[in-house]
Amino acid sequence: MVDNKKIEKRITTSVTGALEGAAPGVQVNNTYGEPGSAPSIRIRGFGTLVSGASDPLYVVDGVPFDGNMAELNSNDIESMSILKDAASAALYGNRAANGVVIITTKKGKVGRAQLSYDGSFGVQHVTRTIPMMDAYEFVKLQNEMYPTVVAGSYLMNYEGKQWTLDDYKNIPQYNWQDEIFRTAPMHNHQINISGGSQNMKYSLSGGSLQQDGIVFGSDFERFSFRVNMDNDINKWLTTGLRASVARTKQTNSVDGSGAIYNALNQLPEVPARNPDGSFGMQTENMYGTYFSNPLSDLIQNENYSRSTQVYVNAFADIKLWKGLVFRTEYAANYNYNTGYRFTPSYDYEFFKQQSSASRSAGNGSNWTLKTYLTYNGTFGKHNVSVMAGHEAQENNWESLDGSRTNFLFNSVHELNAGDATTAKANSSRGSSAIESYFGRLNYNFADRYLLTATLRADGSSSFAKESRWGWFPSVALAWKVNNEAFLKDVEAINSLKLRLGWGVVGNQWAGSYAYGVTMASAASIWGTGFYAGNYPNRSLKWEETNSYNIGLDLALFDNRVELIADAYYKQ
């Protein structure tokens, strides 16, 4: 488990980034690196053959979370637990093939109201760039490869001066990596108010994050607010609320611009800016190959997105009998996203670019309703916990985007300022649903022998009726050897536990309605035509992963030395 003390020691902008190096068997990759991107997580490697479906299931305060992880504030997290083997993850069977990350947010504690502030400031910079040739080294290399061509270009008589190789040691020259990379600041601020009485506890927090990217034209900002409340209404009823809202803006002019590629290929004698402040561009060269000014592309291109996400989770616990609790829980997540992109037009003789713009908007919602009964009982040395429940989930989304080219002015970026004959528009809409039944049995004898068995049945709208349901069982056994009589007097051993587990988990991401026929369109001489976009497959069913695990937990010398060892096989 990764607790809040470990999280607070890390300077990270995302929840997933806080797991880097904090848990064995968990690989955290910052694939893209731009500000606001959440690192990808792989738990015990890839758990699926489906492309793009390798992320683990995130469960926030007991409810599956389908939002953007970059919009969660790591300062709001109390702890994170990783379910790696199928025996522990099978209870979340429908999407647990890649493991489960259980996130618990901070709650209020009994006591007077406490006000706390947490802030950090840092800078980011490139630690190593690719060594590049200067103008002298570049011309020297070209002369060695193409002496005849260079003699008529770089080493020619120009305006009464006969250029030599040594002349290129003294001309202004530029390392383009130094022009596009920068030292970027990052600051994070969080205010929290928490407290409560025996009957009501609360925690309210607000945070802001501003991160500039190490490449010009990239940054990320986030504003978030969260409220957690727990109320003991009476002896038999407890209610709670978890709610949050986050607003983000991500600027990324690097993506799609080719700026870094152009910076590595641009000639070293081309200036980033001319003396008058305008952007420098290539003049005619012997190759006939021209690259744009990457600094110009990063600064003048527009590419940013805004997102608003609202999350609400309300629950009630009803104590029906001694040890018997009924819980009902409803969670909903709403998000709205907009995207803006504009590329200006310019004509620099040897490099021309046409203006273009696009706009996009999308929204999505998902809700989860979960109800279950839990019974806990102790009978002598026997401890039993039984849980059975039902869960229903539904997701809805839609999007709209449009684009135009050939704008009259670079200063006006709205689509209606572009050429109407180039207008394009697209839209999409979809939904999915899952219904689940689940149960779990925990048995403990004398705190020495432990048994956990779970079974989950999931029905997904991604499959045809005859293949819709998947069954995901698991069994786990554990032996606390240190509680046996023959180890009671061994003071050096604080804990020694052997574990054995087996389980089946599933993956439903085959695509929406992939079992049926989808329609695709194409232009024809008679207008727009439609045809079958795929072959139907009503036998398409859940992807299943069988996992076997054996493990050892050992703690020695007042828990100063700890060893956790696991061996597993996934199929």
Side-chain angles (χ1 to χ4, degrees):
M1 184 178 73
V2 182
D3 59 24
N4 65 319
K5 292 182 179 180
K6 294 181 180 179
I7 296 174
E8 290 171 356
K9 292 179 180 179
R10 297 173 176 268
I11 304 299
T12 179
T13 61
S14 66
V15 172
T16 51
L19 290 173
E20 188 171 4
V26 179
Q27 183 180 9
V28 180
N29 296 314
N30 205 340
T31 309
Y32 300 101
E34 73 265 25
S37 64
S40 63
I41 292 181
R42 299 294 177 263
I43 300 175
R44 290 185 172 178
F46 289 86
T48 176
L49 297 176
V50 180
S51 177
S54 299
D55 290 333
L57 171 66
Y58 296 98
V59 178
V60 180
D61 292 327
V63 178
F65 182 79
D66 290 319
N68 184 355
M69 294 304 297
E71 296 177 0
L72 278 179
N73 190 339
S74 59
N75 291 315
D76 290 331
I77 306 303
E78 179 67 30
S79 65
M80 289 188 286
S81 300
I82 314 296
L83 304 185
K84 305 171 189 176
D85 62 296
S88 59
L91 191 62
Y92 302 94
N94 61 349
R95 288 177 290 177
N98 300 301
V100 181
V101 179
I102 297 179
I103 299 173
T104 302
T105 59
K106 295 178 180 178
K107 298 185 292 185
K109 299 179 181 179
V110 176
R112 298 178 59 183
Q114 295 184 347
L115 174 65
S116 63
Y117 166 79
D118 180 50
S120 63
F121 176 84
V123 293
Q124 310 153 94
H125 62 91
V126 178
T127 57
R128 178 180 176 273
T129 56
I130 299 175
M132 304 295 292
M133 293 182 290
D134 59 22
Y136 169 79
E137 294 168 330
F138 177 76
V139 175
K140 181 181 178 182
L141 177 63
Q142 299 302 309
N143 190 43
E144 292 172 354
M145 295 189 300
Y146 314 107
T148 303
V149 177
V150 171
S153 56
Y154 286 103
L155 303 180
M156 65 180 294
N157 190 305
Y158 181 71
E159 294 183 352
K161 174 180 173 58
Q162 178 62 47
W163 282 79
T164 66
L165 184 60
D166 288 338
D167 289 327
Y168 285 92
K169 294 180 179 179
N170 303 316
I171 67 171
Q173 47 197 298
Y174 309 90
N175 184 333
W176 277 93
Q177 294 176 91
D178 295 338
E179 302 295 335
I180 66 170
F181 291 117
R182 63 181 176 179
T183 298
M186 174 181 67
H187 54 91
N188 190 13
H189 307 276
Q190 176 90 356
I191 295 177
N192 177 265
I193 303 174
S194 63
S197 63
Q198 292 291 340
N199 296 327
M200 192 275 286
K201 295 174 283 291
Y202 62 90
S203 175
L204 297 91
S205 62
S208 70
L209 168 69
Q210 176 69 51
Q211 180 187 17
D212 290 346
I214 58 174
V215 182
F216 281 100
S218 62
D219 61 65
F220 176 75
E221 62 180 23
R222 179 186 65 213
F223 299 93
S224 61
F225 176 77
R226 173 175 289 274
V227 55
N228 287 356
M229 298 186 67
D230 295 276
N231 300 282
D232 293 328
I233 306 300
N234 49 45
K235 293 182 179 181
W236 55 269
L237 177 61
T238 299
T239 63
L241 174 69
R242 309 284 185 264
S244 66
V245 59
R247 174 72 168 170
T248 64
K249 179 183 178 182
Q250 183 180 37
T251 301
N252 183 9
S253 297
V254 184
D255 189 19
S257 70
I260 296 178
Y261 174 83
N262 289 339
L264 297 176
N265 285 276
Q266 185 60 275
L267 300 179
E269 68 268 23
V270 177
R273 289 186 183 270
N274 297 316
D276 62 359
S278 61
F279 291 104
M281 286 291 174
Q282 284 180 273
T283 56
E284 186 175 9
N285 61 58
M286 65 179 184
Y287 310 104
T289 301
Y290 303 95
F291 298 96
S292 65
N293 184 321
L295 183 62
S296 168
D297 292 338
L298 292 172
I299 293 177
Q300 295 192 103
N301 289 358
E302 179 183 76
N303 184 10
Y304 66 92
S305 61
R306 287 192 174 100
S307 176
T308 301
Q309 181 167 280
V310 179
Y311 172 79
V312 178
N313 175 15
F315 65 88
D317 288 333
I318 303 174
K319 297 177 182 178
L320 301 177
W321 199 259
K322 182 180 179 180
L324 182 63
V325 179
F326 173 79
R327 184 183 179 103
T328 181
E329 191 167 3
Y330 177 83
N333 185 39
Y334 304 91
N335 60 79
Y336 181 73
N337 307 282
T338 55
Y340 305 82
R341 182 188 289 265
F342 181 81
T343 302
S345 63
Y346 50 72
D347 186 347
Y348 291 106
E349 187 177 359
F350 296 103
F351 197 90
K352 299 176 175 62
Q353 179 173 274
Q354 186 185 49
S355 59
S356 63
S358 64
R359 296 288 184 271
S360 63
N363 65 78
S365 65
N366 63 76
W367 59 263
T368 301
L369 177 62
K370 182 164 60 175
T371 56
Y372 56 94
L373 279 168
T374 302
Y375 174 75
N376 293 288
T378 300
F379 309 94
K381 295 183 178 181
H382 304 273
N383 295 283
V384 178
S385 175
V386 182
M387 183 263 288
H390 170 266
E391 183 177 21
Q393 305 172 52
E394 184 179 70
N395 295 273
N396 296 278
W397 65 89
E398 60 181 356
S399 65
L400 177 69
D401 63 86
S403 64
R404 286 191 184 187
T405 62
N406 195 19
F407 282 68
L408 186 61
F409 306 105
N410 284 336
S411 58
V412 181
H413 299 178
E414 296 305 316
L415 292 185
N416 58 5
D419 186 351
T421 62
T422 65
K424 295 181 180 180
N426 295 283
S427 66
S428 64
R429 183 172 60 178
S431 63
S432 64
I434 300 174
E435 185 176 19
S436 308
Y437 298 91
F438 53 88
R440 180 179 62 199
L441 167 66
N442 288 330
Y443 172 73
N444 180 336
F445 176 75
D447 200 28
R448 289 182 298 185
Y449 310 110
L450 293 82
L451 165 69
T452 299
T454 67
L455 178 63
R456 184 179 179 109
D458 291 307
S460 171
S461 63
S462 296
F463 307 106
K465 289 183 178 180
E466 56 269 29
S467 305
R468 183 156 293 172
W469 287 89
W471 297 82
F472 307 102
S474 76
V475 177
L477 301 172
W479 178 22
K480 290 187 176 181
V481 186
N482 61 294
N483 287 341
E484 295 289 354
F486 58 83
L487 282 182
K488 281 287 188 181
D489 297 328
V490 182
E491 297 181 357
I493 299 178
N494 303 113
S495 176
L496 175 59
K497 182 165 70 172
L498 300 177
R499 295 177 282 106
L500 182 67
W502 164 82
V504 180
V505 290
N507 177 27
Q508 62 156 340
W509 298 118
S512 298
Y513 312 110
Y515 62 87
V517 179
T518 59
M519 299 300 294
S521 62
S524 70
I525 60 174
W526 300 284
T528 302
F530 295 89
Y531 62 94
N534 66 294
Y535 293 103
N537 182 7
R538 297 189 68 84
S539 298
L540 185 68
K541 61 180 183 179
W542 290 84
E543 181 185 45
E544 295 182 353
T545 300
N546 277 268
S547 178
Y548 305 85
N549 192 91
I550 184 171
L552 167 69
D553 299 337
L554 176 64
L556 303 171
F557 311 118
D558 292 329
N559 297 309
R560 291 188 177 92
V561 178
E562 186 178 38
L563 171 66
I564 300 175
D566 282 274
Y568 65 91
Y569 174 72
K570 295 170 69 174
Q571 182 181 24

